[in-house]
Amino acid sequence: MSRFNTRTARPSATSPVTTTGERTATYEGATGYLRDSKSELYLLAIHNRATDTFYESGAARVGRYRQLVRELAVLDPAWTAGLLAWLRAHANMRTAALIGAAEFVHARLNASQAAALRPGPTAVDIAPYSNRAVIASVLQRPDEPGELLGYWTSHYGRRLPKPVKRGIADATQRLYTERALLKYDANSHGYRFGDVLELVHAAPAPDRPWQGDLFKHAIDRRHNRAEDVPARLTTIRARNDLHSIPPQERRALLADGADRLAAAGMTWESLAGWLQGPLDATAWEAIIPSMGLMALARNLRNFDEAGVSDTVAQAVAARLADPDEVRRSRMFPFRFWAAYKAAPNLRWAHPLEQALGHSLANVPALSGRTLILVDRSPSMFPGYFFSTANTSDIPLAEQAAVFGAALAMRAENPTLVEFGGTSREITPKKGGSVLRLVEQFGRIDGTDIPAAVKKHLAGHDRVVIVTDEQTRPGWLPSNMRGHGGMPETQIDDLIPTSVPVYMWNMAGYRPGATPAGGRGRHTLGGLSDAAFGLIPLLDAGHDARWPWDQHTA
């Protein structure tokens, strides 16, 4: 068999992430490629949790992100607004979306003021674009209006521009409910619900007449004068009734208390405080019906240790296996892998496998032969090799392994490889478990993508590389080196242009490892349905657009 795929070349498809042609170096010294501003911002945004990574501090990442948002907010506000709304609503990135919206509005207001000082043909009309709508679009959880206010006031002072006030006010009408107040209005937050309402002068939504009572109660509560709760606020009144019960009598109510806890908007965290002690089996069984899927997945070990009944455990397992529950939870696939690692009881393995499958339902089933290279180098394991602020999060390497394993399990004829400075093949079993397959991955020192490609590429129809892209230079054997210059071989040197390469970026660093955007070389990123669908689209020779553009060609 020929080492290279010799199929007839198809028309070259284009993809949105593109390089400029300007070269740089990766953090490990190989030839790298600079991306245009939109591409750099997109890849950084979908991976930016404002924490340290192996090669870049959290502060540096946030600084780079802020600069890119501010630049593109003025140059292409429609594109940037689309990115920010999608980032929060579909990519489920909270911090990046909130920071981005604040910087978007601040940059545009500054540009508008500067333009007003330059009347004539050079003036730009910036203000009419809806800054208010951008602010509202990124606020999707009840504590986020306060978080955005905290970011704005810490960077730009307590004077709030009208678009910020109005966008936050719009969000409070949508987000502020009794249950939201009970869950998120805590003294530990810099801006309480009452603070937000007073600063932005929010009015109740016309179709929510009870919000008038809620808003007044939130403000009174903030100022410690909420003695009488309005009759329409039934959930808050029910919570107050629970707190009026003497602590020594509270556990006795749990046996038949599930409905009462639900009516009072009780969460598992608040239940522990109400009981003033640990949650035993009876307490867990009372609160489990009120818990969301993320909370269930995080507490499987606690359920086992407390000894919840088999009947309750079966109900939890059924919810984990329910595709609608998984879709509504908006949990990243790797969260189910983390739950699997944390919960040793085998009764959770199958439902977690099903949950993971539902979360990865749109990973494509690729035809033909696919080489899948998964990066397991030290830079994919921050927190394992050195101390960072990101140690509580799931390493990039494990996220990459989950995606690579799922891709291999669905592919018609996959070659699944883990690599660092060396590499080895991992063999998936048809119809086997993605979670068990992920367990076979290890950690490998060094990062050499060209060596992995050279060793394992053999007649494949496509190559998918799941990595942070920070490769060492690949070195040609001495008998293949040309005269003069560095004896480096690049990934592009090893893969014919008839074989498409999908570089799945996992970190959002500035240098890329290959050219991207066309001629069979594509950089993708993000563990979302929109991202998963781009491989078969490009593979078929169709152009792809940004994930938030619903009209892909």
Side-chain angles (χ1 to χ4, degrees):
M1 179 185 292
S2 169
R3 176 170 176 75
F4 300 125
N5 182 294
T6 57
R7 67 184 179 181
T8 303
R10 292 176 300 215
S12 182
T14 62
S15 51
V17 175
T18 57
T19 47
T20 63
E22 186 178 354
R23 297 195 179 192
T24 182
T26 68
Y27 283 103
E28 289 293 330
T31 297
Y33 299 85
L34 293 177
R35 306 181 234 265
D36 63 33
S37 295
K38 289 182 180 178
S39 301
E40 183 183 349
L41 175 58
Y42 166 69
L43 292 175
L44 177 59
I46 58 177
H47 299 297
N48 189 14
R49 291 179 174 84
T51 52
D52 293 350
T53 60
F54 194 89
Y55 294 111
E56 195 173 22
S57 71
R61 288 172 74 80
V62 171
R64 183 160 60 92
Y65 177 69
R66 293 175 64 194
Q67 180 180 352
L68 288 164
V69 170
R70 295 180 67 84
E71 171 189 333
L72 289 165
V74 176
L75 295 178
D76 196 337
W79 181 92
T80 312
L83 164 66
L84 294 173
W86 172 85
L87 191 64
R88 183 64 190 98
H90 298 283
N92 205 21
M93 298 295 291
R94 297 180 62 243
T95 302
L98 298 184
I99 292 174
E103 296 298 340
F104 177 97
V105 171
H106 190 264
R108 288 174 50 74
L109 292 176
N110 279 356
S112 181
Q113 292 169 1
L117 298 176
R118 301 192 302 272
T122 60
V124 291
D125 190 15
I126 291 173
Y129 194 83
S130 184
N131 295 330
R132 171 182 181 173
V134 170
I135 293 290
S137 73
V138 302
L139 302 176
Q140 298 292 324
R141 209 172 76 174
D143 57 337
E144 290 170 4
E147 288 188 13
L148 194 146
L149 273 177
Y151 180 85
W152 185 279
T153 56
S154 66
H155 285 79
Y156 302 118
R158 292 183 62 85
R159 182 181 176 277
L160 300 177
K162 285 185 178 179
V164 175
K165 286 184 177 181
R166 291 172 177 173
I168 293 175
D170 292 342
T172 62
Q173 292 183 336
R174 173 168 40 88
L175 298 173
Y176 279 12
T177 64
E178 289 184 74
R179 291 177 183 273
L181 183 80
L182 291 171
K183 182 173 182 178
Y184 293 107
D185 186 42
N187 287 324
S188 59
H189 291 179
Y191 283 87
R192 302 271 303 274
F193 279 36
D195 297 322
V196 173
L197 293 168
E198 288 185 312
L199 283 169
V200 305
H201 309 296
D207 60 342
R208 291 181 160 189
W210 48 265
Q211 269 192 337
D213 287 342
L214 178 68
F215 286 7
K216 181 179 183 303
H217 176 73
I219 293 171
D220 288 343
R221 170 181 164 125
R222 176 66 181 91
H223 297 293
N224 298 315
R225 57 176 186 248
E227 296 178 1
D228 297 321
V229 179
R232 284 195 290 192
L233 303 184
T234 56
T235 304
I236 296 174
R237 289 172 69 93
R239 177 70 70 87
N240 287 353
D241 288 345
L242 285 178
H243 279 283
S244 69
I245 299 171
Q248 65 272 18
E249 299 176 13
R250 293 174 182 178
R251 287 190 182 271
L253 300 176
L254 294 176
D256 298 308
D259 290 341
R260 189 168 181 182
L261 295 180
M266 191 75 79
T267 65
W268 70 272
E269 298 97 335
S270 58
L271 179 60
W274 180 70
L275 291 173
Q276 299 183 15
L279 302 186
D280 57 15
T282 303
W284 280 119
E285 291 174 5
I287 198 63
I288 279 173
S290 301
M291 293 171 67
L293 202 68
M294 173 73 89
L296 292 176
R298 290 176 58 189
N299 283 287
L300 298 179
R301 177 189 285 272
N302 290 332
F303 301 160
D304 289 337
E305 292 177 348
V308 300
S309 69
D310 289 342
T311 300
V312 171
Q314 288 168 7
V316 172
R319 290 183 61 189
L320 289 169
D322 186 332
D324 292 332
E325 285 264 13
V326 172
R327 184 179 62 253
R328 284 194 298 270
S329 76
R330 299 173 64 206
M331 288 171 64
F332 287 119
F334 51 81
R335 296 295 175 191
F336 297 109
W337 158 251
Y340 174 75
K341 287 199 307 176
N345 194 319
L346 291 178
R347 69 180 174 185
W348 305 120
H350 183 58
L352 286 171
E353 182 74 36
Q354 291 176 289
L356 179 66
H358 298 323
S359 72
L360 291 166
N362 289 306
V363 169
L366 300 176
S367 62
R369 302 191 65 214
T370 305
L371 176 59
I372 304 165
L373 303 174
V374 178
D375 192 342
R376 304 292 290 182
S377 65
S379 62
M380 298 286 283
F381 287 94
Y384 279 66
F385 288 84
F386 66 98
S387 178
T388 76
N390 201 27
T391 53
S392 64
D393 208 356
I394 299 168
L396 297 178
E398 297 193 10
Q399 299 178 37
V402 168
F403 174 60
L407 197 64
M409 293 293 288
R410 283 174 168 76
E412 179 182 8
N413 190 353
T415 303
L416 179 62
V417 173
E418 65 170 353
F419 75 90
T422 59
S423 60
R424 75 176 184 97
E425 188 172 335
I426 297 174
T427 305
K429 295 180 181 179
K430 286 296 181 183
S433 163
V434 173
L435 294 173
R436 294 294 177 86
L437 185 59
V438 173
E439 287 182 322
Q440 297 183 40
F441 285 84
R443 297 200 291 271
I444 305 174
D445 287 343
T447 311
D448 193 337
I449 300 176
V453 170
K454 184 175 178 60
K455 179 178 178 180
H456 298 281
L457 181 68
H460 290 90
D461 295 294
R462 69 190 61 77
V463 179
V464 181
I465 308 173
V466 191
T467 176
D468 63 8
E469 297 195 69
Q470 303 312 300
T471 183
R472 294 175 180 174
W475 303 107
L476 285 169
S478 57
N479 63 342
M480 296 176 63
R481 297 178 187 173
H483 297 288
M486 293 292 291
E488 177 188 355
T489 183
Q490 298 173 44
I491 300 165
D492 244 19
D493 299 331
L494 299 169
I495 306 174
T497 55
S498 61
V499 179
V501 177
Y502 302 101
M503 188 72 68
W504 207 281
N505 181 285
M506 295 296 296
Y509 292 123
R510 191 163 182 255
T514 59
R519 54 183 294 275
R521 302 297 184 256
H522 308 287
T523 300
L524 309 176
L527 298 176
S528 69
D529 292 348
F532 295 154
L534 292 181
I535 292 182
L537 184 71
L538 292 163
D539 214 34
H542 299 294
D543 292 342
R545 298 183 183 178
W546 299 105
W548 53 94
D549 187 344
Q550 298 300 312
H551 305 289
T552 51

